[in-house]
Amino acid sequence: MVKQDIMNGNTALGIEFGSTRIKAVLVDSTNTPVASGSYEWENSLENGIWTYSLEDIWKGLQGAYADMAADVKKQYDVTLETIGAIGFSAMMHGYMAFNKDGELMVPFRTWRNTITGEASGKLFDLFQYNIPQRWSISHLYQAILNGEEHVKDMDYLATLAAYIHWQLTGERVLGIGDASGMFPIDPKTKDYDQAMIDKFEALIADKNFPWKLRDILPKVLVAGEQAGTLTEEGAKRLDVSGNLKAGIPVCPAEGDAGTGMTATNSVKQRTGNVSAGTSIFLMAVLEKELSKAYPELDMVTTPDGSLVAMVHCNNCTSDLNAWVGVFREFMESMGMEVDMNQLYGTLYNKALEGDKDCGGLMSYCYFSGEHITGFDEGRPLFMRRPDSKFNLANFMRAHLYSCMASLKIGMDILSKQENVTLDELMGHGGLFKTKGVGQSFMAAAMNTPVTVMETAGEGGAWGIALLASYMKNKAEGETLDAYLNDKVFAGQKGSTLSPDPEDVEGFDRFLETFKKALPTERAAVESL
């Protein structure tokens, strides 16, 4: 069956550029992953700019594809010549500026760069809309403020995904989710916000650039629309062996936020997903626009154009992992063999035995700054009162709670100031690996049922493969949400935990102390 799907082109391929790995996932006619490939890569800091070279981008794309094609050959003894549909995805935001000859005029400026503070602040004031530093429009306006010579020659401004898509199809288009990290989207028109476009044009009118903003941005497409086909040249660039045929339909390229929502079945309004690992972020799909802009909240969209509020925190499990490392070191010093999965499982499960409010123990997991609470730098910090209940269960529970505390502060803006309600949260990432522990604490922190799917580890490359499959295989009028529910996630195993009222109350008590003691973290940053 799988072999027939591959030979007949009843497949979809997703390739996603992550920050350290490029992954390719091929799915069959049931949307099940049947082959994969990957390529490791790293950004570099050049002249103060975090970047990836064009050479690395293409080497990585070709490497991930070749690895996937080799997997197909090995498993099914088929040389891959055709695919039903393809989609490309990448880290959102950033700045790739091209002239009319298609030449990159300055090195790719990735989302990691925090060099656009002045532009970000001025655009927030102009639009009354949060414009984070990593957004493409922040990079463009900062280049204008800096008087950079290349800006006048601008012909196309792209994200990494938009660039790849353009090169392989010839189309200057982009999925709405990725586009929403370039410039604000109007959820009614599912296009760039025209009033804000007009304000920006007025702002830079005195520069007399030969271009208009709309002309240099990619055209916005929503999930399900066809975004071109793989050209002859594109097929050769993707598959250097020359086996892959041209003419394959390509779906709108997307950002990693949109593919994450797709891969966790959280594109429907009133649903959300929370990704918890080194950093932690929550995406809440909204029913309506917020009443005002909040600097703590990023506004993006689902791949089908629903507005999404994103709460992003820099710090999650780094401090927790460091403490687990100390326990490992202790065990090794005692001559014990250490199974890290067992160690994590034991310590996480121990946390379930702790007091609901952690017995008066307090932890700040701030390895780095945290904009939600106003910190430019962080210092991991653990403290307690002399009469606190200091035991292993409370110690672990406090560190797990700390991973979620800043996220909860951001989420409270949505729930308490904007009356946003979520029916369900989909959890994915390292914090949820030990069954039932991070999940139950997250349910308590957010006071919302949390579901963890068995497929949550498939990631964004699977998500963009699903978007390609949706474009090719959807029935007339079938929404993305319905397609995912009926054709992808129907019958999939997952576990849902509802919030325990006592845990909710306990987390709230912990959070009150967390907020009240923030000056202690501030003092640690200033004195240590």
Side-chain angles (χ1 to χ4, degrees), residues 465-484:
L466 295 179
L467 290 171
S469 172
Y470 169 64
M471 175 197 70
K472 182 172 183 284
N473 301 314
K474 69 183 188 305
E476 193 174 340
E478 187 174 26
T479 64
L480 177 60
D481 171 48
Y483 185 83
L484 293 175

Side-chain angles (χ1 to χ4, degrees), residues 166-462:
W166 171 46
Q167 293 294 298
L168 297 182
T169 67
E171 302 288 341
R172 291 178 24 161
V173 299
L174 187 59
I176 192 168
D178 202 13
S180 71
M182 295 190 79
F183 193 89
I185 293 289
D186 179 345
K188 297 183 198 71
T189 62
K190 298 200 188 314
D191 196 359
Y192 301 118
D193 188 295
Q194 187 58 48
M196 294 188 203
I197 291 259
D198 293 342
K199 284 181 180 176
F200 187 78
E201 291 288 7
L203 178 68
I204 63 167
D206 62 325
K207 305 293 185 189
N208 294 311
F209 293 125
W211 49 261
K212 294 290 184 196
L213 184 59
R214 261 196 188 276
D215 296 335
I216 63 169
L217 288 173
K219 183 187 173 192
V220 179
L221 298 179
V222 295
E225 293 188 88
Q226 189 164 323
T229 57
L230 193 65
T231 62
E232 290 282 354
E233 185 190 4
K236 289 184 176 71
R237 286 192 85 179
L238 178 59
D239 179 12
V240 292
S241 73
N243 292 317
L244 189 65
K245 294 185 171 71
I248 297 167
V250 184
C251 75
E254 264 301 348
D256 49 0
T259 59
M261 286 184 264
T262 305
T264 53
N265 194 23
S266 40
V267 300
K268 188 179 179 182
Q269 292 179 356
R270 293 174 65 99
T271 63
N273 78 86
V274 60
S275 173
T278 307
S279 63
I280 186 168
F281 62 86
L282 183 148
M283 321 279 289
V285 188
L286 305 177
E287 296 175 279
K288 62 182 193 308
E289 293 184 66
L290 301 182
S291 63
K292 64 173 190 175
Y294 297 91
E296 299 90 347
L297 303 176
D298 294 359
M299 304 304 296
V300 291
T301 77
T302 61
D304 56 352
S306 290
L307 205 57
V308 174
M310 179 179 184
V311 184
H312 185 279
C313 304
N314 292 335
N315 300 282
C316 187
T317 58
S318 294
D319 188 39
L320 181 63
N321 293 341
W323 279 108
V324 174
V326 168
F327 287 116
R328 183 200 69 216
E329 197 177 331
F330 163 74
M331 291 175 70
E332 287 171 345
S333 299
M334 293 289 287
M336 304 178 195
E337 271 193 38
V338 183
D339 177 326
M340 289 306 289
N341 286 330
Q342 186 183 7
L343 179 57
Y344 269 101
T346 301
L347 291 171
Y348 274 42
N349 280 297
K350 193 71 182 172
L352 294 173
E353 301 170 19
D355 293 301
K356 302 296 186 185
D357 63 355
C358 307
L361 308 188
M362 182 49 56
S363 165
Y364 291 96
C365 62
Y366 287 9
F367 248 64
S368 65
E370 194 57 79
H371 75 109
I372 295 278
T373 47
F375 283 82
D376 293 327
E377 290 182 66
R379 299 290 183 273
L381 180 65
F382 172 76
M383 55 186 174
R384 62 190 174 99
R385 294 190 305 269
D387 59 347
S388 298
K389 293 182 188 170
F390 185 40
N391 55 40
L392 182 59
N394 282 337
F395 181 81
M396 289 307 300
R397 195 173 185 118
H399 281 90
L400 281 159
Y401 274 16
S402 175
C403 290
M404 305 167 192
S406 299
L407 187 76
K408 170 67 168 173
I409 292 169
M411 187 60 196
D412 278 350
I413 296 171
L414 285 173
S415 57
K416 294 178 179 175
Q417 296 182 43
E418 294 288 340
N419 299 313
V420 169
T421 304
L422 295 179
D423 298 326
E424 187 178 45
L425 263 178
M426 308 297 293
H428 55 114
L431 193 71
F432 300 105
K433 274 185 181 169
T434 300
K435 193 171 181 182
V437 182
Q439 188 179 0
S440 65
F441 291 165
M442 185 65 73
M446 301 300 144
N447 199 10
T448 302
V450 174
T451 298
V452 176
M453 304 292 292
E454 283 185 356
T455 52
E458 296 290 357
W462 184 51

